[in-house]
């Protein structure tokens, strides 16, 4: 549980012991909807296991409420912006162990930074464009849904051929962590059926994307993910 929560302009800090020095640090990067109770639920698990936690706020300082992936020309912040935030916020905390947790777009950003952290846990990250920094990632755990039609599991399998990772495919669609999700979003760009060169050195704008994605909660897959995350923290 939390002993103290402190809100900053660009992140939220949680600690299980406000007087403890140099607790191991978990740095979290949220998904396209911004910080939610899902992030704080995982922060609670980490605090219960002796970690201080920072949830990076990628949106507020930029005046962004959420990201709607109707096109890629106007995605802000992009993955590199998010990665820069992760580096900046994590540097503010003194800890002898620093690990990463990211959801969806936040997971992709964590991959860019992974080589500079002790280990990384990701849930349904976007893996369509595997850049050179992402090929340097190490000690990875990825959990994704077998029916995900937004960030498909096939791309995670392909990534696993290039990077040593612990890949778990669970039942469900994108958003299986979120109890409020059960919808088909017709105007959102999907990353399915796209296979780009690895490493990918281009930009994502001039790609023929399909549209329409499913987001749906799975209680079972959320419980499985939480158990894996708890074991991963040890």
């Amino acid at each position: 549980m939390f002993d103290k929560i402190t809100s900053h302009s660009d992140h939220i800090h949680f600690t299980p012991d406000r007087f403890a020095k140099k607790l191991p640090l978990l740095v979290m990067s949220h998904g396209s909807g911004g910080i939610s109770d899902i992030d704080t639920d995982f922060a609670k698990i980490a605090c219960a296991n002796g970690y201080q936690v920072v949830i990076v706020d990628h949106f507020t300082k930029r005046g962004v409420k959420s990201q709607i992936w109707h096109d890629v020309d106007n995605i802000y912040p992009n993955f590199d912006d998010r990665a820069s935030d992760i580096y900046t916020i994590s540097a503010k905390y003194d800890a002898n162990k620093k690990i990463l947790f990211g959801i969806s777009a936040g997971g992709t950003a964590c991959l860019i930074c992974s080589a500079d952290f002790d280990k990384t846990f990701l849930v349904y990250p976007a893996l369509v464009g595997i850049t050179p920094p992402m090929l340097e990632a190490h000690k990875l755990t990825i959990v994704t849904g077998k029916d995900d039609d937004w960030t498909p599991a096939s791309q995670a399998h392909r990534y696993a051929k290039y990077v040593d990772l612990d890949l778990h495919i669970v039942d469900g669609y994108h958003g299986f962590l979120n109890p409020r999700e059960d919808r088909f979003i017709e105007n959102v760009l999907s990353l399915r059926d796209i296979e780009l060169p690895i490493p990918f050195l281009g930009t994502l704008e001039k790609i023929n994307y399909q549209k329409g994605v499913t987001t749906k909660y799975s209680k079972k897959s959320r419980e499985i993910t939480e158990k894996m995350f708890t074991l991963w923290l040890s």
Side-chain angles (χ1 to χ4, degrees):
M1 296 294 291
F2 311 133
D3 179 44
K4 186 177 181 181
I5 304 173
T6 309
S7 180
H8 302 267
S9 62
D10 52 6
H11 70 285
I12 305 172
H13 178 255
F14 305 81
T15 181
D17 184 348
R18 70 184 71 193
F19 301 111
K21 303 295 184 182
K22 291 190 177 181
L23 289 174
L25 177 69
L26 173 68
V27 181
M28 297 177 58
S29 180
H30 61 74
S32 297
I35 296 173
S36 74
D37 57 322
I38 298 167
D39 303 284
T40 56
D41 286 346
F42 279 89
K44 187 182 295 182
I45 294 171
C47 281
N49 284 271
Y51 286 82
Q52 60 178 321
V53 179
V54 293
I55 303 178
V56 179
D57 182 353
H58 299 290
F59 288 174
T60 301
K61 68 181 181 181
R62 296 182 171 97
V64 175
K65 293 184 178 180
S66 65
Q67 289 178 309
I68 303 174
W69 292 76
H70 290 168
D71 65 72
V72 295
D73 295 332
N74 300 305
I75 294 300
Y76 178 71
N78 61 31
F79 296 134
D80 289 329
D81 294 329
R82 285 171 169 265
S84 178
D85 294 342
I86 290 169
Y87 281 123
T88 298
I89 302 306
S90 63
K92 295 181 179 182
Y93 292 89
D94 188 11
N96 55 16
K97 180 180 182 181
K98 294 184 178 182
I99 62 177
L100 291 174
F101 175 84
I103 298 174
S104 196
T108 308
C110 286
L111 279 177
I112 297 172
C113 308
S114 174
D116 297 307
F117 288 77
D118 291 287
K119 59 182 181 178
T120 304
F121 190 106
L122 311 173
V123 185
Y124 38 77
L127 296 170
V128 65
I130 306 301
T131 61
M134 293 165 69
L135 292 172
E136 298 299 319
H138 71 146
K139 295 185 178 178
L140 296 176
T141 298
I142 294 179
V143 186
T144 198
K146 70 178 183 180
D147 299 312
D148 194 319
D149 58 3
W150 196 346
T151 59
S154 60
Q155 292 174 355
H157 280 294
R158 187 173 183 231
Y159 183 45
K161 295 178 182 179
Y162 293 83
V163 177
D164 185 22
L165 64 87
D166 187 14
L167 177 60
H168 300 267
I169 307 298
V170 297
D171 290 337
Y173 295 88
H174 201 87
F176 64 73
L177 292 179
N178 191 341
R180 295 170 293 279
E181 287 294 353
D182 187 2
R183 55 183 174 152
F184 179 76
I185 315 172
E186 62 181 358
N187 291 321
V188 168
L189 298 177
S190 168
L191 304 181
R192 64 183 178 270
D193 300 328
I194 298 172
E195 188 169 300
L196 300 175
I198 296 178
F200 181 62
L201 303 176
T203 61
L204 296 174
E205 286 84 359
K206 296 179 180 180
I207 295 172
N208 186 25
Y209 295 96
Q210 298 182 51
K211 284 195 173 184
V213 301
T214 303
T215 59
K216 188 172 183 178
Y217 174 59
S218 169
K219 184 175 185 291
K220 179 181 178 181
S221 293
R222 164 113 182 212
E223 290 174 348
I224 290 171
T225 304
E226 289 180 344
K227 288 178 181 177
M228 283 192 286
F229 178 68
T230 302
L231 289 172
W232 176 81
L233 290 167
S234 61

